[in-house]
Amino acid sequence: ILIPTLTLPGILGNILCVWVFHKKDIELKPSFANLLKCLSIYDTLLLLGLTLQYTVPMYSQYYSNEILPLITPYSLPFLHMALTGSVYTVISLALERFITVCFPFNSCKMFNGLVYIALITLFSILYNVNKFLEIEAGVSESSVYSLDENGENVTEIVRQPWYKPTELRQSKMYSKYVVFLLNFFIMGLLPVILLSVLNFMIFRSIAKATRNHNNISSDTRRDTAMAGLLTAIVVVFLFCHCPKIAVNLYEAIEEENLNKVYPTWLAVMVKINHLLLAINSAANILIYSYKDLRFRKAVVSSFKRKHTLSSLRTSFKTSFGSRYRMRRMEDSRSTDRRVR
């Protein structure tokens, strides 16, 4: 019930984040800004997936009976892809900050973060491609016989969509080692370890640099601020994902017993996990606004009247386009000189 109240504000907030991080006055390194935009996009897709899979069926019986069974074999894998992309984008943000803060003089070219994004997208697809083989759907037909007003027999064909686990998903070996254990490690234990270690290394390096240098440059202060922002993202991430990790661990241990009886408390915990995932995906704009003054100023300035639609279009121009216009101006000036 609470997820719909988070979905629309979360989606609008993430779209606003993508626009703000595209602006130059936010003064972020391109790789970090692009990863933050990537995180907003994955979180938006995750919110849409949660809405289609778990929220809309609660309010529409037709959707639940007629549409959901047919789209579940496709919507559920895409939902997991968005979740995987979101989780590993946070890890990539931590890795980018670790390289920037701990090795500031070593150049590690990632083409403004595009290599991170490409690897995240590729991994999210490959890791979850098997989920397309876990659920099958179809339409069953049955004949219903009745009498019309004249007392004659009338046959009506009733079509009922359905979906169910495939033989692969029902396999005990696959369920235990792939669905539960592998998922617990890849989507639970490994992200927690990586984020904890990377954040510890980042703040240790910042503390050491602060002790050694009394005068901190503006770039260093900005890196420190972004490290604080990253920490806030990680804290919210851990808070929202730890219950899911605990449930996944319990399912991995009690997999055989769960096939017989599925506890009510576990079903409730699954729904709470869906809510926490929605909170995690919708809360980013609040984190950015709280931790970064320049982000707040950029958001406020975007709603001022002096920023017209033309300024909005200008903010979305790429640097290539800007260089192209400058080149045309220089060519026109040189042409004027030759004419003179």
Side-chain angles (χ1 to χ4, degrees), residues 95-128:
L95 180 61
E96 193 276 342
R97 286 294 87 190
F98 171 75
I99 294 174
T100 301
V101 172
C102 298
F103 303 98
F105 303 107
N106 294 336
S107 60
C108 181
K109 292 186 178 180
M110 285 294 180
F111 300 95
N112 293 337
L114 297 181
V115 174
Y116 289 115
I117 296 172
L119 292 176
I120 293 167
T121 303
L122 182 62
F123 175 74
S124 300
I125 294 173
L126 294 179
Y127 177 69
N128 293 288

Side-chain angles (χ1 to χ4, degrees), residues 220-261:
T220 303
R221 286 195 297 268
R222 190 60 177 156
D223 288 337
T224 303
M226 289 302 98
L229 185 146
L230 173 64
T231 301
I233 294 175
V234 171
V235 169
V236 174
F237 174 89
L238 294 176
F239 174 79
C240 293
H241 281 257
C242 279
K244 180 178 73 70
I245 296 171
V247 169
N248 290 342
L249 178 61
Y250 179 83
E251 289 177 336
I253 297 173
E254 299 291 334
E255 185 265 337
E256 294 184 1
N257 295 330
L258 292 178
N259 292 331
K260 302 175 183 178
V261 179

Side-chain angles (χ1 to χ4, degrees), residues 62-174:
Y62 175 80
Y63 180 90
S64 178
N65 295 335
E66 302 293 333
I67 300 178
L68 182 63
L70 298 179
I71 68 171
T72 295
Y74 310 101
S75 61
L76 204 57
F78 282 113
L79 175 61
H80 283 280
M81 289 179 185
L83 177 59
T84 305
S86 177
V87 170
Y88 279 87
T89 300
V90 175
I91 296 175
S92 297
L93 284 167
L95 180 61
E96 193 276 342
R97 286 294 87 190
F98 171 75
I99 294 174
T100 301
V101 172
C102 298
F103 303 98
F105 303 107
N106 294 336
S107 60
C108 181
K109 292 186 178 180
M110 285 294 180
F111 300 95
N112 293 337
L114 297 181
V115 174
Y116 289 115
I117 296 172
L119 292 176
I120 293 167
T121 303
L122 182 62
F123 175 74
S124 300
I125 294 173
L126 294 179
Y127 177 69
N128 293 288
V129 70
N130 59 296
K131 295 190 181 299
F132 287 100
L133 306 176
E134 293 183 1
I135 301 175
E136 57 183 349
V139 179
S140 61
E141 296 183 353
S142 59
S143 300
V144 177
Y145 302 96
S146 61
L147 297 176
D148 61 7
E149 297 177 353
N150 299 324
E152 297 180 355
N153 290 328
V154 177
T155 303
E156 181 181 0
I157 304 299
V158 178
R159 294 178 174 84
Q160 180 62 46
W162 54 266
Y163 68 100
K164 65 179 183 179
T166 61
E167 293 183 2
L168 175 65
R169 180 61 181 83
Q170 294 177 338
S171 170
K172 291 184 178 181
M173 295 290 290
Y174 180 83

